Coordinates of all heavy atoms in Angstrom, one line a residue:
L229 N -29.2 38.6 -27.7 CA -28.6 37.4 -27.2 C -27.1 37.5 -27.1 O -26.5 37.0 -26.1 CB -28.9 36.2 -28.2 CG -30.4 35.7 -28.1 CD1 -30.6 34.6 -29.1 CD2 -30.5 35.1 -26.7
N271 N -10.6 15.7 4.1 CA -11.5 15.9 3.0 C -10.7 16.3 1.7 O -10.0 17.3 1.8 CB -12.5 17.0 3.3 CG -13.3 16.6 4.5 OD1 -13.4 15.4 4.8 ND2 -13.8 17.5 5.3
R281 N -1.6 31.9 16.8 CA -0.5 32.6 17.4 C 0.6 32.9 16.3 O 1.8 32.7 16.5 CB 0.2 31.8 18.5 CG 0.1 32.4 19.9 CD 1.1 33.3 20.5 NE 2.4 32.9 20.7 CZ 2.8 32.1 21.7 NH1 2.0 31.5 22.5 NH2 4.1 31.8 21.8
I292 N -9.1 7.3 15.7 CA -8.7 6.8 17.0 C -9.7 5.7 17.3 O -10.9 5.9 17.2 CB -8.7 7.9 18.0 CG1 -7.7 9.0 17.7 CG2 -8.3 7.3 19.4 CD1 -6.2 8.6 17.6
L314 N 13.8 30.1 15.5 CA 13.6 30.7 16.8 C 14.4 29.9 17.9 O 15.1 30.5 18.7 CB 12.2 30.7 17.2 CG 11.3 31.8 16.6 CD1 9.8 31.5 17.0 CD2 11.7 33.2 17.0
P347 N 4.5 9.6 17.0 CA 3.8 8.3 17.0 C 3.3 7.7 18.3 O 2.3 7.1 18.4 CB 4.9 7.3 16.4 CG 5.9 8.2 15.7 CD 5.9 9.5 16.5
T378 N 1.0 18.5 20.4 CA -0.2 18.9 19.7 C -1.5 18.3 20.4 O -2.6 18.6 20.0 CB -0.2 18.4 18.3 OG1 0.1 17.0 18.2 CG2 0.9 19.1 17.5
G379 N -1.3 17.4 21.4 CA -2.3 17.0 22.3 C -3.3 15.9 21.9 O -4.4 15.8 22.3
G389 N -14.9 11.2 26.9 CA -15.7 11.4 28.1 C -14.9 11.4 29.4 O -15.5 11.2 30.5
P417 N -17.2 18.0 24.0 CA -18.3 17.9 25.0 C -18.5 19.2 25.8 O -19.5 19.5 26.3 CB -18.0 16.7 25.8 CG -16.7 16.1 25.4 CD -16.2 16.9 24.2
I456 N 8.3 11.8 25.0 CA 9.0 13.0 25.6 C 10.5 12.7 25.9 O 11.2 13.6 26.4 CB 8.2 13.5 26.8 CG1 7.8 12.4 27.8 CG2 7.0 14.3 26.4 CD1 8.8 12.1 28.7
V512 N 1.4 -1.7 19.0 CA 1.3 -1.2 17.6 C 1.1 0.3 17.6 O 0.2 0.8 18.2 CB 0.2 -2.0 16.8 CG1 0.0 -1.3 15.4 CG2 0.5 -3.4 16.7

Side-chain angles (χ1 to χ4, degrees):
L229 280 176
N271 297 338
R281 245 273 295 284
I292 301 295
L314 284 173
T378 54
I456 44 87
V512 172

